[in-house]
């Protein structure tokens, strides 16, 4: 491909609305252009990368016996009402009413559609195990689309669904997909960690996320500093401390509870500073509304409530923070002064870490007032103890109990779930077993954010000059750079090499633009093609051409007649994984 003929607009300036480095590079290197918030056009250069990733995904899915199909983006809303997810996805769903006044959904995912299909087409145990997948566009009306294709409203996903006769069958299918995912991400050049994850609104009992560590990642994961334990914050356990519930020592007279005036002071930091106490002694009381009923949720000052855990504990479909009005009605106090002492008539859920604690400080359910010296056992009527907080940096690893936890930011590129019968039950998908008895089909689902792989890769693989593509997903393999297009000898040499590469089926970009050499160098580094072939006047006069590897910056001068065999050798080396470092 000649650069003069391809739509590859590079930019010198950093686009104003791009924060994440991957977003900046995708715009500057001409991979994408924004149409509107969270919606992007893929230009030819970007599409070449996508096609390579999709090829890798197809090879790995097919090698596990999965079959590709293509499901529609338009889905009838009734299917989502039947599965009970219409409400759960809420405003993330993009819906429209058609001319027959029927409500439709632009598919954010396809569990409902595939289950409806399989319900009709799979009736016998003989037809399973079955794994079906597609690579297709999904739609989600994100509240805050950002970071380019990392969180967009329209994106390409690979979604696979497994159908099995029983749980052991699902375990086999799940392991196959898990292994295929590891190979896919490795081949795409990603450094990733599979972590234990929450199943959330997808349902089921077991789930793993594939996370790419990156500073701009929107997810946080907890990794043990010693053992293999890694989990999402929604999943990482904060177990009940094993010292158990303290029994009260009645020989000592308890301190009586005291109200203290804290005018206008309500945040944990401010109250701790005002009362000269450690924030660890503060007890946060957060009022939620679960299915129209208020619930008081208690955690320690330095801890955060983890809403995914709380939803699991409450088995809630509809949990939200209470409004100021509800807080006032529930506690008789304005926002910021809620506390558990004397709070009656509502459920009080307390985090395990508060068990047996004394000397705590909490809101007094009175404006501008806190209570000190609270004893959890003596003074608080806890209705349920549970793990409802997020794990913190340096908390003890719940798996090995030997080392601390390290919290890291990451980007989720894949997610696998053991769904069980959640969808086959609600949509009535059964099969007849060997005895002719009807059973629920057991299901798993497996997603990869195809467009997000590009962003995640770029977060990990760039330098100050631009992108560093790996061999496997680079849009081209070689770029030819004649430095002076007015020089006939240089252009003739470049044309010859270009033709030889095409004959060898090498994906080559020929920078035939009549621009300054400095611009060509900058653009070549920005777009990140692995091998640069630089043809300059001085070198060529001595029969020499320069080869540069983008990744290492390493350069080598080659006799002009030896360029093609040298590059073919380099390509052989680069195709091997991991890529070699030198020429
Ligand atoms: Zn550990």
């Amino acid at each position: 491909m000649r650069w003069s003929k391809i739509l590859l607009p590079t930019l010198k300036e950093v686009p104003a609305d791009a924060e994440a480095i991957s977003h900046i590079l995708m715009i500057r290197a001409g991979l994408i252009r924004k149409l509107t918030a969270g919606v992007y056009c893929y230009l030819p250069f970007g599409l070449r990368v996508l096609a390579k990733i999709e090829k890798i995904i197809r090879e790995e899915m097919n090698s596990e016996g999965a079959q590709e199909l293509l499901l529609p983006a338009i889905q009838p809303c009734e299917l989502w009402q039947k599965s009970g997810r219409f409400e759960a996805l809420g405003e993330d769903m993009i819906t429209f009413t058609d001319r027959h006044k029927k409500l439709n959904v632009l598919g954010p995912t396809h569990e409902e559609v595939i289950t409806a299909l399989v319900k009709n087409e799979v009736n016998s145990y003989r037809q399973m195990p079955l794994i079906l997948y597609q690579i297709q566009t999904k739609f989600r009306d994100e509240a805050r689309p950002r970071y380019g294709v990392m969180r967009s409203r329209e994106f390409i996903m690979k979604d696979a669904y497994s159908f099995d006769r029983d749980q052991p069958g699902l375990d086999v299918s799940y392991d196959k997909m898990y292994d295929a995912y590891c190979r896919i991400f490795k081949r795409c050049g990603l450094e990733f960690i599979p972590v234990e994850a929450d199943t959330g609104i997808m349902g089921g009992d077991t789930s793993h996320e594939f996370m790419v560590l990156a500073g701009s990642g929107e997810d946080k994961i907890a990794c043990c500093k010693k053992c293999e334990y890694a989990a999402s914050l929604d999943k990482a356990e904060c177990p009940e401390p094993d010292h158990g519930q303290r029994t009260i020592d009645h020989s000592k007279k308890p301190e009586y509870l005291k109200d203290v005036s804290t005018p206008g002071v309500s945040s944990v930091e401010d109250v701790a500073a005002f009362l000269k106490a450690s924030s660890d002694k503060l007890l946060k009381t957060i009022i939620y509304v679960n299915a129209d009923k208020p619930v008081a949720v208690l955690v320690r000052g330095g801890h955060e409530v983890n809403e995914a855990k709380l939803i699991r504990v409450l088995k809630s479909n509809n949990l939200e923070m209470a409004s100021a009005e509800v807080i006032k009605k529930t506690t008789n106090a304005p926002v910021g002064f809620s506390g558990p002492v004397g709070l009656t008539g509502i459920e009080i859920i307390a985090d395990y870490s508060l068990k047996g604690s004394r000397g705590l400080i909490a809101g007094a359910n009175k404006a501008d007032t806190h209570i000190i010296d609270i004893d959890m056992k003596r003074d608080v009527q806890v209705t349920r103890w549970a793990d409802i907080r997020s794990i913190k940096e340096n908390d003890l690893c719940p798996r090995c109990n030997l080392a601390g936890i390290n919290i890291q930011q990451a980007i989720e590129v894949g997610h696998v779930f053991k769904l069980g019968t959640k969808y086959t039950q609600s949509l009535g998908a059964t099969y007849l077993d060997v005895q002719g008895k009807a059973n629920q089909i057991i299901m798993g689902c497996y997603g990869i954010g195809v467009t997000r792989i590009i962003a995640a890769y770029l977060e990990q693989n760039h330098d100050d000059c631009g992108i560093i593509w790996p061999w496997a997903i680079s849009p081209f393999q070689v770029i030819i750079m004649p430095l002076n297009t007015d020089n006939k000898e240089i252009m003739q040499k470049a044309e010859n090499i270009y033709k030889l590469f095409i004959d060898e089926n090498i994906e080559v970009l020929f920078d035939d633009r009549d621009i300054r050499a400095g611009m060509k160098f900058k653009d070549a580094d920005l777009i990140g093609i692995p091998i640069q072939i630089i043809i300059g006047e001085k070198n060529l006069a001595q029969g020499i051409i320069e080869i540069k590897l983008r990744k290492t910056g390493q350069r080598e001068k080659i006799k002009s007649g030896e360029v093609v065999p040298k590059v073919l050798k380099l390509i052989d080396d680069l195709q091997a994984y991991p890529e070699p470092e030198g020429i």
Side-chain angles (χ1 to χ4, degrees):
M1 179 68 73
R2 290 167 195 272
W3 195 316
S4 60
K5 299 278 189 289
I6 185 174
L7 181 64
L8 175 49
T10 54
L11 294 178
K12 252 162 71 182
E13 306 299 328
V14 173
D17 62 346
E19 300 164 62
I21 186 70
S22 55
H23 186 192
I24 293 169
L25 287 173
M26 285 181 82
I27 303 256
R28 285 193 57 214
L31 275 79
I32 55 167
R33 285 295 181 265
K34 179 168 141 181
L35 179 63
T36 182
V39 180
Y40 290 87
C41 310
Y42 277 82
L43 306 192
F45 204 63
L47 192 64
R48 290 181 80 99
V49 180
L50 262 184
K52 296 214 165 172
I53 295 173
E54 290 178 2
K55 183 169 180 280
I56 291 173
I57 292 175
R58 285 194 171 94
E59 285 170 6
E60 295 299 344
M61 297 308 290
N62 296 349
S63 81
E64 293 292 357
Q67 299 167 54
E68 185 169 3
L69 46 53
L70 184 59
L71 302 170
I74 298 178
Q75 310 178 1
C77 177
E78 297 107 80
L79 264 182
W80 286 79
Q81 282 158 341
K82 263 193 208 162
S83 73
R85 285 208 299 177
F86 191 68
E87 291 285 310
L89 269 118
E91 289 187 318
D92 282 355
M93 294 263 246
I94 298 179
T95 57
F96 70 95
T97 307
D98 63 24
R99 63 170 70 194
H100 304 295
K101 305 280 178 279
K102 289 213 161 171
L103 192 60
N104 296 277
V105 169
L106 284 185
T109 171
H110 279 75
E111 284 76 17
E112 282 77 359
V113 172
I114 195 109
T115 311
L117 179 80
V118 163
K119 175 191 170 172
N120 292 329
E121 308 306 328
V122 174
N123 311 302
S124 159
Y125 69 95
R126 288 192 187 89
Q127 293 169 279
M128 291 182 288
L130 178 67
I131 304 177
L132 301 169
Y133 78 96
Q134 63 169 344
I135 296 177
Q136 197 246 17
T137 303
K138 306 278 188 243
F139 301 87
R140 286 184 200 173
D141 198 2
E142 292 285 349
R144 289 183 62 209
R146 60 201 165 128
Y147 300 150
V149 301
M150 203 126 71
R151 186 159 294 280
S152 53
R153 296 195 295 160
E154 179 180 323
F155 54 96
I156 299 170
M157 207 169 129
K158 188 288 302 176
D159 42 330
Y161 306 89
S162 65
F163 301 91
D164 281 282
R165 303 167 194 172
D166 48 25
Q167 190 65 35
L170 169 60
D171 294 344
V172 171
S173 297
Y174 187 87
D175 289 349
K176 281 183 168 193
M177 290 297 103
Y178 185 102
D179 293 345
Y181 274 34
C182 291
R183 294 196 300 271
I184 289 166
F185 297 131
K186 196 171 171 191
R187 285 182 63 188
C188 289
L190 294 173
E191 281 198 33
F192 66 96
I193 307 176
V195 306
E196 295 175 20
D198 179 34
T199 53
I201 59 159
M202 211 53 98
D205 56 8
T206 303
S207 167
H208 285 87
E209 282 171 337
F210 293 81
M211 301 299 241
V212 168
L213 296 180
S216 66
E218 294 182 285
D219 289 301
K220 283 186 180 162
I221 57 170
C223 304
C224 177
K225 290 174 187 166
K226 195 177 174 90
C227 78
E228 301 268 277
Y229 184 76
S232 72
L233 283 212
D234 290 348
K235 181 75 180 175
E237 305 133 50
C238 305
E240 191 171 352
D242 56 10
H243 55 73
Q245 172 71 303
R246 178 187 58 87
T247 47
I248 290 183
D249 177 3
H250 289 287
S251 61
K252 272 200 220 153
K253 193 178 169 191
E255 297 275 339
Y256 286 108
L257 293 178
K258 273 183 255 168
D259 277 6
V260 291
S261 172
T262 50
V265 181
S266 64
S267 75
V268 167
E269 297 75 32
D270 293 350
V271 175
F274 187 81
L275 297 175
K276 297 188 175 55
S278 133
S279 62
D280 196 43
K281 284 288 174 199
L282 264 87
L283 187 166
K284 284 199 279 193
T285 307
I286 299 128
I287 310 290
Y288 280 88
V289 177
N290 176 32
D292 296 331
K293 280 193 193 145
V295 183
V297 175
L298 315 183
V299 292
R300 239 175 227 291
H303 291 161
E304 295 300 329
V305 175
N306 185 297
E307 290 185 3
K309 288 183 174 182
L310 189 57
I311 285 169
R312 286 203 296 271
V313 169
L314 289 168
K315 297 190 173 60
S316 174
N317 291 318
N318 187 8
L319 183 79
E320 50 189 20
M321 297 273 266
S323 63
E325 202 185 331
V326 172
I327 292 172
K328 175 88 191 168
K329 218 171 131 192
T330 310
T331 68
N332 286 320
V335 177
F337 298 94
S338 306
V341 179
L343 204 57
T344 51
I346 68 167
E347 180 164 20
I348 299 181
I349 300 182
D351 184 68
Y352 284 141
S353 66
L354 287 165
K355 232 175 185 182
S357 295
R358 285 186 281 186
L360 298 172
I361 302 165
N365 297 328
K366 230 189 276 178
D368 297 335
T369 314
H370 277 77
I371 298 186
I372 59 171
D373 280 336
I374 298 170
D375 179 321
M376 283 304 288
K377 185 162 186 184
R378 186 191 64 193
D379 305 320
V380 182
Q381 289 213 320
V382 174
T383 41
R384 219 187 310 187
W385 292 96
D387 169 14
I388 50 168
R389 71 171 176 101
S390 293
I391 201 164
K392 266 178 62 184
E393 182 78 23
N394 290 328
D395 276 356
L396 199 59
C397 166
R399 183 67 44 86
C400 70
N401 277 306
L402 291 172
I405 284 291
N406 186 214
I407 307 282
Q408 305 196 61
Q409 281 179 288
I411 300 165
E412 179 197 334
V413 288
H415 205 159
V416 293
F417 300 86
K418 287 186 186 173
L419 296 172
T421 58
K422 174 170 163 132
Y423 298 91
T424 53
Q425 197 152 26
S426 55
L427 298 166
T430 58
Y431 74 97
L432 297 178
D433 65 16
V434 193
Q435 281 86 34
K437 196 174 140 265
N439 288 293
Q440 296 291 341
I441 295 175
I442 312 285
M443 213 174 142
C445 78
Y446 317 91
I448 288 181
V450 181
T451 34
R452 201 183 262 193
I453 286 181
I454 305 179
Y457 176 81
L458 293 180
E459 290 290 329
Q460 287 186 331
N461 297 278
H462 62 268
D463 60 17
D464 292 344
C465 300
I467 297 173
I468 300 170
W469 289 116
W471 190 256
I473 63 171
S474 180
F476 291 92
Q477 298 161 331
V478 177
I479 179 169
I480 302 175
M481 301 153 63
L483 298 184
N484 180 356
T485 45
D486 293 335
N487 182 316
K488 274 195 186 140
E489 207 189 330
I490 288 182
M491 286 312 280
Q492 192 52 53
K493 191 77 209 169
E495 289 282 354
N496 286 347
I497 293 174
Y498 179 55
K499 286 199 186 84
L500 288 169
F501 279 139
I502 288 175
D503 290 345
E504 292 286 346
N505 275 328
I506 300 207
E507 293 170 294
V508 55
L509 180 65
F510 180 13
D511 190 353
D512 58 346
R513 296 174 301 167
D514 180 14
I515 56 169
R516 284 187 295 110
M519 286 275 289
K520 285 195 181 181
F521 287 129
K522 280 218 165 91
D523 269 353
D525 281 352
L526 173 64
I527 66 172
I529 294 171
I531 300 172
Q532 300 176 5
I533 295 178
I534 303 158
I535 311 173
E537 228 158 345
K538 245 198 239 163
N539 278 336
L540 195 62
Q542 296 163 29
I544 293 223
I545 284 173
E546 200 169 18
I547 297 182
K548 178 183 154 188
L549 287 188
R550 172 64 182 94
K551 188 172 176 180
T552 57
Q554 206 178 333
R555 290 157 179 270
E556 194 181 339
K557 289 181 175 170
I558 310 277
K559 281 191 195 142
S560 73
E562 290 167 13
V563 166
V564 176
K566 174 74 192 178
V567 168
L568 287 177
K569 169 77 178 61
L570 271 176
I571 289 173
D572 267 353
D573 294 346
L574 288 170
Q575 269 171 333
Y577 184 90
E579 292 180 5
E581 287 299 315
I583 288 185

